Protein backbone atom coordinates (compact mmCIF):
# COMPACT_ATOMS: atom_id res chain seq x y z
CA UNK A 1 0.00 0.00 0.00
CA UNK A 2 1.16 3.53 -0.74
CA UNK A 3 0.68 6.56 1.56
CA UNK A 4 -2.05 7.75 -0.82
CA UNK A 5 -3.89 4.45 -0.41
CA UNK A 6 -3.51 4.74 3.35
CA UNK A 7 -4.97 8.26 3.28
CA UNK A 8 -8.11 6.92 1.59
CA UNK A 9 -8.41 4.05 4.07
CA UNK A 10 -8.13 6.32 7.10
CA UNK A 11 -11.13 8.37 5.91
CA UNK A 12 -13.42 5.34 6.14
CA UNK A 13 -11.84 2.72 8.39
CA UNK A 14 -8.80 3.77 10.45
CA UNK A 15 -8.72 0.57 12.52
CA UNK A 16 -6.27 -2.11 11.50
CA UNK A 17 -2.85 -3.67 11.94
CA UNK A 18 -0.23 -1.61 10.11
CA UNK A 19 3.40 -2.09 9.14
CA UNK A 20 5.20 1.20 8.40
CA UNK A 21 8.44 0.76 6.46
CA UNK A 22 10.52 2.73 3.94
CA UNK A 23 12.73 5.81 3.90
CA UNK A 24 10.37 8.80 4.16
CA UNK A 25 10.16 9.49 7.89
CA UNK A 26 8.16 12.71 7.47
CA UNK A 27 5.17 10.88 5.99
CA UNK A 28 5.46 8.04 8.48
CA UNK A 29 5.15 10.50 11.38
CA UNK A 30 2.31 12.36 9.69
CA UNK A 31 0.19 9.23 9.25
CA UNK A 32 1.13 7.90 12.66
CA UNK A 33 -0.30 11.07 14.20
CA UNK A 34 -3.45 10.75 12.08
CA UNK A 35 -4.06 7.20 13.29
CA UNK A 36 -3.41 8.22 16.89
CA UNK A 37 -5.93 11.05 16.57
CA UNK A 38 -8.61 8.86 14.97
CA UNK A 39 -8.23 5.90 17.34
CA UNK A 40 -7.41 7.61 20.64
CA UNK A 41 -8.22 11.32 20.15
CA UNK A 42 -9.25 12.92 23.43
CA UNK A 43 -10.45 9.64 24.94
CA UNK A 44 -10.07 9.92 28.75
CA UNK A 45 -8.85 6.31 28.79
CA UNK A 46 -6.03 7.11 26.34
CA UNK A 47 -3.39 6.86 29.06
CA UNK A 48 -4.36 3.23 29.55
CA UNK A 49 -5.29 2.23 26.01
CA UNK A 50 -2.37 3.76 24.10
CA UNK A 51 0.66 1.49 24.52
CA UNK A 52 4.14 2.07 23.06
CA UNK A 53 6.54 -0.86 23.17
CA UNK A 54 10.11 0.40 22.74
CA UNK A 55 13.49 -1.25 22.09
CA UNK A 56 11.97 -4.07 20.05
CA UNK A 57 10.62 -5.83 23.15
CA UNK A 58 8.70 -8.57 21.34
CA UNK A 59 7.66 -10.51 24.50
CA UNK A 60 6.06 -7.35 25.92
CA UNK A 61 4.48 -6.61 22.54
CA UNK A 62 3.03 -10.13 22.32
CA UNK A 63 1.63 -9.82 25.84
CA UNK A 64 -0.10 -6.54 24.94
CA UNK A 65 -1.69 -8.12 21.87
CA UNK A 66 -3.44 -10.54 24.24
CA UNK A 67 -4.65 -7.72 26.51
CA UNK A 68 -8.07 -6.08 26.82
CA UNK A 69 -8.99 -2.37 26.75
CA UNK A 70 -9.33 -0.64 30.10
CA UNK A 71 -12.30 1.63 30.87
CA UNK A 72 -13.74 0.90 27.43
CA UNK A 73 -12.68 2.59 24.20
CA UNK A 74 -10.26 1.51 21.49
CA UNK A 75 -6.71 0.30 22.02
CA UNK A 76 -3.69 1.47 20.02
CA UNK A 77 -0.49 -0.55 20.35
CA UNK A 78 2.79 0.60 18.79
CA UNK A 79 5.98 -1.40 18.35
CA UNK A 80 9.26 0.51 17.87
CA UNK A 81 12.99 -0.25 17.43
CA UNK A 82 12.72 -3.84 16.20
CA UNK A 83 15.55 -5.13 14.01
CA UNK A 84 13.57 -7.57 11.88
CA UNK A 85 16.70 -8.77 10.09
CA UNK A 86 17.58 -10.54 13.36
CA UNK A 87 14.12 -11.97 14.14
CA UNK A 88 14.06 -15.73 13.59
CA UNK A 89 11.59 -17.33 11.21
CA UNK A 90 9.78 -19.17 14.03
CA UNK A 91 9.42 -16.00 16.11
CA UNK A 92 8.17 -14.07 13.09
CA UNK A 93 5.60 -16.78 12.39
CA UNK A 94 4.34 -16.67 15.98
CA UNK A 95 4.14 -12.90 15.83
CA UNK A 96 2.14 -13.06 12.59
CA UNK A 97 -0.34 -15.46 14.21
CA UNK A 98 -0.93 -13.00 17.05
CA UNK A 99 -1.29 -10.04 14.70
CA UNK A 100 -3.77 -11.91 12.49
CA UNK A 101 -6.09 -12.46 15.46
CA UNK A 102 -5.68 -9.01 17.04
CA UNK A 103 -8.78 -6.85 17.42
CA UNK A 104 -6.75 -3.78 18.40
CA UNK A 105 -5.24 -1.15 16.14
CA UNK A 106 -1.53 -1.90 15.88
CA UNK A 107 1.33 0.03 14.27
CA UNK A 108 4.70 -1.61 13.70
CA UNK A 109 6.95 1.39 13.07
CA UNK A 110 10.32 0.61 11.47
CA UNK A 111 13.30 2.62 10.28
CA UNK A 112 15.04 1.66 7.00
CA UNK A 113 17.96 -0.04 8.79
CA UNK A 114 15.56 -2.13 10.88
CA UNK A 115 13.45 -3.67 8.15
CA UNK A 116 14.85 -5.42 5.03
CA UNK A 117 12.06 -4.90 2.51
CA UNK A 118 13.65 -6.43 -0.58
CA UNK A 119 12.27 -5.28 -3.93
CA UNK A 120 8.85 -5.03 -5.53
CA UNK A 121 9.54 -8.16 -7.60
CA UNK A 122 11.26 -10.03 -4.79
CA UNK A 123 10.09 -8.88 -1.34
CA UNK A 124 12.10 -9.99 1.67
CA UNK A 125 10.87 -12.94 3.76
CA UNK A 126 10.01 -10.47 6.53
CA UNK A 127 7.84 -8.34 4.25
CA UNK A 128 6.22 -11.38 2.63
CA UNK A 129 5.27 -12.77 6.05
CA UNK A 130 4.04 -9.52 7.61
CA UNK A 131 2.10 -8.50 4.48
CA UNK A 132 -0.26 -11.44 5.13
CA UNK A 133 -1.28 -10.16 8.57
CA UNK A 134 -0.82 -6.37 8.33
CA UNK A 135 -1.57 -3.43 6.09
CA UNK A 136 2.00 -2.93 4.86
CA UNK A 137 2.62 0.70 3.88
CA UNK A 138 5.72 1.53 1.84
CA UNK A 139 6.87 5.06 2.64
CA UNK A 140 9.36 5.43 -0.20
CA UNK A 141 11.07 8.70 -1.12
CA UNK A 142 8.66 10.94 -3.02
CA UNK A 143 9.25 11.72 -6.69
CA UNK A 144 10.25 15.34 -7.53
CA UNK A 145 6.88 16.05 -9.20
CA UNK A 146 4.95 14.96 -6.10
CA UNK A 147 7.33 16.88 -3.84
CA UNK A 148 6.86 20.04 -5.92
CA UNK A 149 3.07 19.82 -5.54
CA UNK A 150 3.45 19.24 -1.79
CA UNK A 151 5.83 22.20 -1.45
CA UNK A 152 3.35 24.44 -3.24
CA UNK A 153 0.59 23.44 -0.79
CA UNK A 154 2.96 23.87 2.16
CA UNK A 155 3.86 27.39 1.02
CA UNK A 156 0.20 28.25 0.47
CA UNK A 157 -0.53 27.24 4.06
CA UNK A 158 2.22 29.69 5.09
CA UNK A 159 0.57 32.49 3.10
CA UNK A 160 2.98 32.42 0.15
CA UNK A 161 3.14 31.21 -3.44
CA UNK A 162 6.06 29.33 -5.00
CA UNK A 163 5.98 28.78 -8.78
CA UNK A 164 6.40 25.12 -9.86
CA UNK A 165 9.84 25.73 -11.36
CA UNK A 166 11.05 27.21 -8.07
CA UNK A 167 9.65 24.25 -6.15
CA UNK A 168 11.96 22.04 -8.24
CA UNK A 169 14.79 24.51 -7.64
CA UNK A 170 14.27 24.26 -3.89
CA UNK A 171 14.29 20.44 -4.04
CA UNK A 172 17.55 20.43 -6.02
CA UNK A 173 19.06 22.98 -3.65
CA UNK A 174 18.04 21.39 -0.35
CA UNK A 175 17.61 17.64 -1.19
CA UNK A 176 14.39 15.63 -1.31
CA UNK A 177 14.16 14.98 2.43
CA UNK A 178 10.69 16.16 3.45
CA UNK A 179 11.74 17.06 7.01
CA UNK A 180 14.43 19.36 5.62
CA UNK A 181 12.14 20.81 2.95
CA UNK A 182 9.35 21.53 5.43
CA UNK A 183 11.72 23.56 7.60
CA UNK A 184 13.24 25.38 4.64
CA UNK A 185 9.92 26.42 3.07
CA UNK A 186 8.66 27.73 6.43
CA UNK A 187 11.86 29.74 6.83
CA UNK A 188 11.62 31.14 3.30
CA UNK A 189 7.95 32.05 3.67
CA UNK A 190 8.60 33.84 6.97
CA UNK A 191 11.33 35.87 5.23
CA UNK A 192 9.07 36.73 2.28
CA UNK A 193 6.16 37.79 4.51
CA UNK A 194 8.50 39.93 6.61
CA UNK A 195 9.51 41.65 3.36
CA UNK A 196 5.87 42.56 2.70
CA UNK A 197 5.47 40.08 -0.17
CA UNK A 198 3.67 36.80 -0.81
CA UNK A 199 5.51 35.45 -3.90
CA UNK A 200 8.76 33.53 -3.42
CA UNK A 201 11.57 34.32 -5.84
CA UNK A 202 14.76 32.43 -6.72
CA UNK A 203 16.73 35.10 -4.88
CA UNK A 204 14.73 34.34 -1.72
CA UNK A 205 15.70 30.67 -1.97
CA UNK A 206 19.38 31.42 -2.49
CA UNK A 207 19.36 34.02 0.31
CA UNK A 208 17.51 32.07 2.99
CA UNK A 209 17.66 28.33 2.27
CA UNK A 210 20.56 26.17 3.40
CA UNK A 211 22.07 24.09 0.60
CA UNK A 212 22.39 20.45 1.53
CA UNK A 213 24.49 18.05 -0.47
CA UNK A 214 23.43 14.43 -0.21
CA UNK A 215 26.43 12.17 0.00
CA UNK A 216 26.22 8.46 -0.60
CA UNK A 217 28.08 5.23 -0.07
CA UNK A 218 30.35 5.79 -3.09
CA UNK A 219 31.59 9.08 -1.58
CA UNK A 220 32.13 7.20 1.66
CA UNK A 221 34.10 4.46 -0.13
CA UNK A 222 36.26 7.07 -1.84
CA UNK A 223 37.02 8.69 1.53
CA UNK A 224 38.12 5.30 2.84
CA UNK A 225 40.30 4.76 -0.22
CA UNK A 226 41.93 8.14 0.36
CA UNK A 227 42.41 7.23 4.03
CA UNK A 228 40.59 10.46 4.93
CA UNK A 229 39.25 9.47 8.33
CA UNK A 230 37.69 12.86 9.15
CA UNK A 231 35.75 12.99 5.87
CA UNK A 232 34.66 9.36 6.22
CA UNK A 233 33.14 10.07 9.65
CA UNK A 234 31.38 13.20 8.35
CA UNK A 235 29.88 11.27 5.43
CA UNK A 236 28.86 8.36 7.65
CA UNK A 237 27.14 10.75 10.09
CA UNK A 238 25.21 12.25 7.16
CA UNK A 239 24.09 8.81 5.97
CA UNK A 240 23.05 7.82 9.51
CA UNK A 241 21.01 11.03 9.80
CA UNK A 242 19.22 10.11 6.57
CA UNK A 243 18.80 6.54 7.87
CA UNK A 244 20.69 4.89 5.03
CA UNK A 245 20.73 1.14 5.57
CA UNK A 246 24.09 0.04 7.02
CA UNK A 247 23.96 -3.08 4.84
CA UNK A 248 23.71 -0.86 1.75
CA UNK A 249 26.57 1.39 2.88
CA UNK A 250 28.88 -1.52 3.62
CA UNK A 251 27.75 -3.41 0.52
CA UNK A 252 28.77 -0.54 -1.75
CA UNK A 253 32.13 -0.20 0.00
CA UNK A 254 32.78 -3.96 -0.17
CA UNK A 255 31.96 -4.12 -3.88
CA UNK A 256 34.27 -1.21 -4.63
CA UNK A 257 37.12 -2.74 -2.62
CA UNK A 258 36.59 -6.07 -4.36
CA UNK A 259 36.62 -4.35 -7.75
CA UNK A 260 39.90 -2.62 -6.93
CA UNK A 261 41.50 -5.90 -5.92
CA UNK A 262 40.39 -7.64 -9.12
CA UNK A 263 41.52 -4.68 -11.24
CA UNK A 264 44.95 -4.66 -9.59
CA UNK A 265 45.39 -8.43 -10.07
CA UNK A 266 44.34 -8.27 -13.73
CA UNK A 267 46.57 -5.28 -14.38
CA UNK A 268 49.55 -7.11 -12.89
CA UNK A 269 48.96 -9.94 -15.38
CA UNK A 270 49.40 -7.43 -18.20
CA UNK A 271 45.75 -7.18 -19.26
CA UNK A 272 44.79 -3.95 -21.04
CA UNK A 273 42.18 -1.57 -19.57
CA UNK A 274 39.83 -2.31 -22.49
CA UNK A 275 40.03 -6.08 -21.89
CA UNK A 276 39.59 -5.57 -18.13
CA UNK A 277 36.45 -3.50 -18.70
CA UNK A 278 35.04 -6.25 -20.93
CA UNK A 279 35.90 -9.02 -18.46
CA UNK A 280 34.50 -7.17 -15.45
CA UNK A 281 31.50 -5.80 -17.42
CA UNK A 282 32.44 -2.31 -16.29
CA UNK A 283 32.27 0.95 -18.24
CA UNK A 284 35.74 1.90 -19.48
CA UNK A 285 35.58 5.36 -17.87
CA UNK A 286 34.61 3.91 -14.48
CA UNK A 287 37.37 1.33 -14.82
CA UNK A 288 39.94 4.04 -15.62
CA UNK A 289 39.09 5.88 -12.39
CA UNK A 290 39.32 2.74 -10.27
CA UNK A 291 42.49 1.64 -12.01
CA UNK A 292 44.17 4.87 -10.92
CA UNK A 293 43.17 4.17 -7.32
CA UNK A 294 44.10 0.48 -7.46
CA UNK A 295 47.60 1.19 -8.77
CA UNK A 296 48.33 3.36 -5.72
CA UNK A 297 48.02 0.31 -3.45
CA UNK A 298 49.65 -3.06 -3.18
CA UNK A 299 47.72 -6.27 -3.70
CA UNK A 300 48.41 -7.14 -0.05
CA UNK A 301 46.83 -3.92 1.25
CA UNK A 302 43.78 -4.39 -1.00
CA UNK A 303 43.40 -7.99 0.20
CA UNK A 304 43.54 -6.78 3.81
CA UNK A 305 40.92 -4.12 3.09
CA UNK A 306 38.61 -6.69 1.48
CA UNK A 307 39.07 -9.00 4.47
CA UNK A 308 38.14 -6.20 6.91
CA UNK A 309 34.98 -5.49 4.88
CA UNK A 310 34.03 -9.19 4.97
CA UNK A 311 34.51 -9.28 8.73
CA UNK A 312 32.37 -6.14 9.17
CA UNK A 313 29.67 -7.75 7.03
CA UNK A 314 29.79 -10.89 9.19
CA UNK A 315 29.37 -8.83 12.37
CA UNK A 316 26.39 -6.93 10.95
CA UNK A 317 24.62 -10.12 9.84
CA UNK A 318 25.42 -12.48 12.71
CA UNK A 319 25.87 -10.45 15.89
CA UNK A 320 23.82 -8.01 17.94
CA UNK A 321 26.40 -5.25 17.58
CA UNK A 322 25.08 -1.88 16.41
CA UNK A 323 25.57 -1.98 12.65
CA UNK A 324 26.63 1.67 12.37
CA UNK A 325 29.18 1.14 15.14
CA UNK A 326 30.63 -1.76 13.16
CA UNK A 327 31.13 0.60 10.21
CA UNK A 328 32.73 3.21 12.48
CA UNK A 329 35.17 0.54 13.67
CA UNK A 330 35.90 -0.33 10.02
CA UNK A 331 36.85 3.31 9.39
CA UNK A 332 39.36 3.17 12.24
CA UNK A 333 40.76 -0.20 11.12
CA UNK A 334 41.23 0.99 7.55
Amino acid sequence: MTPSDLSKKLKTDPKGVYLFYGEEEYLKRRYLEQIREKIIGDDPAAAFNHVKIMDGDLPAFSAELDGLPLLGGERLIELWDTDFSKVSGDLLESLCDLLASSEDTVIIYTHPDEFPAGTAKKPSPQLAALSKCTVAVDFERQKPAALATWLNRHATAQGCFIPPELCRKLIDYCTADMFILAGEVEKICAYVRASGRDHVTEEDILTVASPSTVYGAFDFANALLDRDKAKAFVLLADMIRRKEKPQDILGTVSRMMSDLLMIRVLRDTGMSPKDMAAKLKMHEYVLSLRLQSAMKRSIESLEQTAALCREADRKIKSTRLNSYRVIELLILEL
Side-chain angles (χ1 to χ4, degrees):
M1 178 179 284
T2 67
S4 296
D5 296 329
L6 177 61
S7 181
K8 295 175 184 177
K9 181 184 186 307
L10 295 184
K11 292 177 181 177
T12 58
D13 183 20
K15 291 188 62 176
V17 178
Y18 300 93
L19 167 66
F20 282 12
Y21 70 99
E23 297 182 336
E24 189 46 76
E25 293 298 315
Y26 182 92
L27 289 179
K28 280 186 202 171
R29 295 302 177 103
R30 171 187 164 190
Y31 283 104
L32 171 65
E33 292 300 330
Q34 285 190 25
I35 293 174
R36 284 174 176 172
E37 178 63 27
K38 288 179 179 293
I39 298 300
I40 300 298
D42 55 2
D43 184 351
F48 302 98
N49 290 336
H50 181 195
V51 181
K52 290 181 68 175
I53 305 297
M54 308 301 292
D55 301 321
D57 190 343
L58 292 179
F61 180 61
S62 298
E64 286 295 341
L65 291 176
D66 277 337
L68 295 173
L70 298 175
L71 307 178
E74 303 284 349
R75 293 185 85 217
L76 173 61
I77 304 171
E78 300 174 22
L79 174 65
W80 292 70
D81 310 319
T82 305
D83 188 347
F84 279 93
S85 65
K86 297 178 181 178
V87 174
S88 68
D90 290 342
L91 182 55
L92 184 61
E93 184 178 351
S94 299
L95 183 62
C96 288
D97 289 340
L98 284 172
L99 291 170
S101 61
S102 176
E103 296 182 0
D104 298 314
T105 295
V106 180
I107 299 176
I108 301 174
Y109 191 109
T110 69
H111 295 298
D113 62 304
E114 297 170 346
F115 191 80
T119 65
K121 291 184 178 180
K122 190 177 180 180
S124 68
Q126 293 88 344
L127 180 57
L130 287 169
S131 293
K132 296 176 182 178
C133 58
T134 70
V135 177
V137 188
D138 183 4
F139 290 91
E140 64 179 359
R141 288 288 187 202
Q142 297 296 290
K143 301 292 191 297
L147 278 177
T149 300
W150 170 77
L151 275 174
N152 189 285
R153 292 199 304 267
H154 212 64
T156 300
Q158 300 290 321
C160 291
F161 172 75
I162 303 181
E165 66 275 11
L166 290 188
C167 288
R168 297 296 293 266
K169 171 75 176 181
L170 184 58
I171 295 167
D172 293 340
Y173 194 64
C174 299
T175 81
D177 185 287
M178 292 180 74
F179 270 121
I180 293 175
L181 288 173
E184 293 298 335
V185 76
E186 289 173 14
K187 186 168 61 174
I188 291 168
C189 289
Y191 172 80
V192 170
R193 292 197 310 271
S195 303
R197 297 176 288 117
D198 62 2
H199 276 55
V200 175
T201 67
E202 182 174 357
E203 184 178 354
D204 295 327
I205 292 175
L206 297 177
T207 300
V208 179
S210 302
S212 178
T213 302
V214 175
Y215 296 100
F218 280 106
D219 303 281
F220 178 63
N222 286 329
L224 292 180
L225 286 173
D226 294 335
R227 294 185 173 89
D228 189 338
K229 181 173 65 176
K231 183 176 181 181
F233 273 114
V234 168
L235 296 178
L236 179 61
D238 179 69
M239 289 187 285
I240 293 174
R241 178 183 61 79
R242 292 185 285 106
K243 302 192 182 297
E244 294 275 347
K245 297 178 182 179
Q247 299 94 325
D248 290 347
I249 298 170
L250 183 59
T252 300
V253 174
S254 298
R255 284 191 296 274
M256 180 176 284
M257 299 305 181
S258 178
D259 285 347
L260 292 179
L261 177 57
M262 288 189 291
I263 288 170
R264 181 59 199 263
V265 169
L266 292 175
R267 184 58 173 168
D268 283 4
T269 65
M271 185 176 290
S272 70
K274 184 175 182 180
D275 290 340
M276 281 192 287
K279 183 176 181 63
L280 298 176
K281 298 180 180 179
M282 188 180 296
H283 192 282
E284 288 188 33
Y285 176 72
V286 174
L287 183 131
S288 69
L289 295 177
R290 296 189 183 178
L291 178 59
Q292 293 176 22
S293 182
M295 295 308 294
K296 296 177 183 177
R297 293 163 179 80
S298 67
I299 289 179
E300 291 74 19
S301 69
L302 290 171
E303 287 176 337
Q304 182 184 17
T305 298
L308 289 171
C309 288
R310 286 195 299 271
E311 177 62 13
D313 182 66
R314 183 193 66 80
K315 289 178 180 177
I316 286 177
K317 292 179 178 177
S318 62
T319 72
R320 294 184 177 274
L321 295 172
N322 182 290
S323 297
Y324 291 121
R325 300 295 174 266
V326 171
I327 298 176
E328 289 176 349
L329 180 60
L330 176 64
I331 294 174
L332 296 175
E333 289 177 322
L334 291 177

